[in-house]
Amino acid sequence: MEAAGRLLLLLATASLLNSSFIHGRDIPERRLAKPPKATIKTIKWDNGDIFDCIDIYKQPAFKHPNLKNHKLQMEPSSYPFGVKAKNVSMDKLGPWHKSGKCPKGSIPIKRHVNTGLPIIRKNITFRPPASYNVGHQYAVIEYMAQSQTIQGLQATIDIWDPSLANPGGDFSLSQIWYIAGSGSDLNTAEAGWQVYPARTGDSQPRLFVYWTADAYSSTGCYDLKCPGFVQTSDQYTPGMALTPSTDNGQQNELGLVINKDSSTGNIWLYVDGTAMGYWPNSIYNTLQGGSNIVEWGGEILDSSGSGGFHTLTQMGSGYLPSAGYGLSSYIRNLLYTEDSQNWVAVTADVLQEIVPAPNCYNYSLESGQDGALWLFYGGPGCN
């Protein structure tokens, strides 16, 4: 498709971009963990997912040694400019609300699935020795702070259900990264969607959060699996199944904002404009002062040991960026802020790329009519 035609299509179809939180693909029987002792109520989705309602003060986060005397922040002290608190309709939130809602003072936590398979930690995406990234491949762009620290970033990511060469070990994800430090002091707050059957027990794309305070060595984990991320929303929760887009059809999107609270220093995550929870400032060291790098893009894990260069695990939609809108995966609203009020659109001249295997997974940047960049990225992998 000609570039001009693609840009017109981007804007003409903007009104068709609907919610991503609807479900139910049938999934096989899974071995579910026992409900947490603090469970108040259990809700079952039509697709088999089970969510336990937990007293908000008894959630896993507060087992972190740095959070013993932590004061729960129920909502941000102020919302970033352009982000407002929303009352989300029941239809948007998916099947669990049709079966009931968590009682006041509790939050829904997805019941853990026991697959018996090892869960691989995420990995460093920028400028590591080559040996660090064995098995991981990327199509990522990054912005490095020029003078001030970065207080937040945002993106709107369309959702897909990429196929995996080895469903028993591979994953494919699309996300945003909020980063500070380097080496063993690397700190991150991350969010996006991921297909990872070894972790979730199925191949549905799911909302995830992640963090580390020591370069993915011993701290941090996905979702609420370990103490760290504090969930405050009774509407959105890590592990929620998401509806994927369709080829040349409906493009379902996930709106994400990560923003540092100016009063507490806690790092808040907003999903489609709703504050879902936060990473407490006290679980970090270098990220306590803000970020010096933010990133947008995709990542795959090739569990075969080939280093990711010879795998057919798809990234994004599985199409290369040249396929264009409706086929190629994309991330739009590529914004960052240095003061939580003035959002800045990134420009191509200040971005660096992380694309180790461009024939397998690549990216391209295009400008919409409003001048903001769209990142098209992903690919089918390589034989």
Side-chain angles (χ1 to χ4, degrees):
M1 181 182 294
E2 295 294 331
R6 280 180 64 179
L7 294 179
L8 288 174
L9 182 58
L10 295 178
L11 295 175
T13 56
S15 63
L16 297 177
L17 301 169
N18 292 338
S19 166
S20 53
F21 296 93
I22 299 178
H23 283 294
R25 215 189 292 178
D26 289 336
I27 55 177
E29 183 178 352
R30 300 167 295 174
R31 293 178 293 123
L32 296 172
K34 294 181 179 180
K37 292 181 180 180
T39 298
I40 299 170
K41 178 181 178 180
T42 295
I43 301 171
K44 185 175 182 179
W45 277 25
D46 291 341
N47 70 349
D49 283 355
I50 292 179
F51 292 83
D52 296 303
C53 300
I54 308 296
D55 184 318
I56 194 169
Y57 290 97
K58 295 181 180 179
Q59 61 179 294
F62 298 119
K63 294 180 181 179
H64 193 290
N66 292 356
L67 300 180
K68 290 182 178 179
N69 299 311
H70 180 75
K71 182 179 180 181
L72 177 66
Q73 185 179 8
M74 285 301 298
E75 60 182 37
S77 59
S78 63
Y79 280 74
F81 180 78
V83 177
K84 298 179 180 179
K86 295 181 180 180
N87 291 320
V88 185
S89 69
M90 291 294 188
D91 288 342
K92 184 173 185 179
L93 292 173
W96 99 55
H97 287 265
K98 297 178 182 178
S99 303
K101 189 176 181 180
C102 285
K104 186 176 181 180
S106 66
I107 56 171
I109 297 181
K110 183 177 178 296
R111 183 84 62 86
H112 177 63
V113 177
N114 294 318
T115 65
L117 298 169
I119 307 304
I120 305 301
R121 286 185 175 272
K122 294 181 90 284
N123 217 320
I124 300 171
T125 60
F126 59 102
R127 289 177 297 282
S131 59
Y132 278 33
N133 279 340
V134 172
H136 293 255
Q137 288 299 327
Y138 305 90
V140 169
I141 57 170
E142 71 173 24
Y143 170 74
M144 299 183 65
Q146 304 299 301
S147 56
Q148 303 182 58
T149 56
I150 302 167
Q151 300 304 303
L153 79 159
Q154 63 175 282
T156 301
I157 308 175
D158 72 335
I159 303 162
W160 294 90
D161 53 351
S163 65
L164 310 178
N166 177 18
D170 294 2
F171 71 60
S172 183
L173 62 79
S174 299
Q175 70 164 87
I176 58 177
W177 288 260
Y178 185 68
I179 302 169
S182 61
S184 61
D185 289 325
L186 180 83
N187 289 195
T188 74
E190 309 174 30
W193 62 259
Q194 182 183 48
V195 173
Y196 195 0
R199 186 173 74 85
T200 65
D202 60 37
S203 59
Q204 295 183 89
R206 292 181 178 273
L207 174 67
F208 80 90
V209 299
Y210 199 95
W211 68 277
T212 183
D214 62 357
Y216 306 99
S217 177
S218 61
T219 63
C221 63
Y222 284 105
D223 300 344
L224 308 181
K225 182 62 176 172
C226 69
F229 184 81
V230 176
Q231 183 176 327
T232 59
S233 175
D234 63 356
Q235 300 175 330
Y236 294 129
T237 182
M240 292 178 64
L242 308 175
T243 301
S245 301
T246 57
D247 289 3
N248 289 319
Q250 182 69 46
Q251 303 299 290
N252 292 315
E253 298 184 323
L254 181 65
L256 298 173
V257 176
I258 294 176
N259 190 75
K260 192 174 184 63
D261 189 281
S262 58
S263 296
T264 64
N266 296 328
I267 301 168
W268 278 86
L269 172 64
Y270 303 81
V271 180
D272 288 344
T274 296
M276 190 178 87
Y278 61 91
W279 294 272
N281 183 267
S282 59
I283 67 174
Y284 292 113
N285 40 67
T286 57
L287 204 52
Q288 289 184 344
S291 167
N292 63 325
I293 295 176
V294 290
E295 299 176 345
W296 302 261
E299 175 186 354
I300 67 99
L301 169 66
D302 169 25
S303 60
S304 71
S306 68
F309 290 93
H310 302 286
T311 178
L312 294 180
T313 285
Q314 298 176 343
M315 180 188 296
S317 65
Y319 288 94
L320 289 167
S322 57
Y325 181 87
L327 293 176
S328 173
S329 46
Y330 65 82
I331 302 176
R332 61 185 184 88
N333 290 338
L334 305 176
L335 304 172
Y336 71 93
T337 179
E338 295 176 338
D339 56 16
S340 297
Q341 294 299 314
N342 299 295
W343 288 94
V344 179
V346 294
T347 56
D349 61 307
V350 298
L351 294 172
Q352 298 187 47
E353 65 176 39
I354 305 163
V355 188
N359 292 330
C360 310
Y361 313 103
N362 212 330
Y363 83 102
S364 67
L365 296 170
E366 294 193 18
S367 295
Q369 289 188 351
D370 60 356
L373 287 178
W374 289 56
L375 168 66
F376 291 87
Y377 69 97
C382 295
N383 286 315

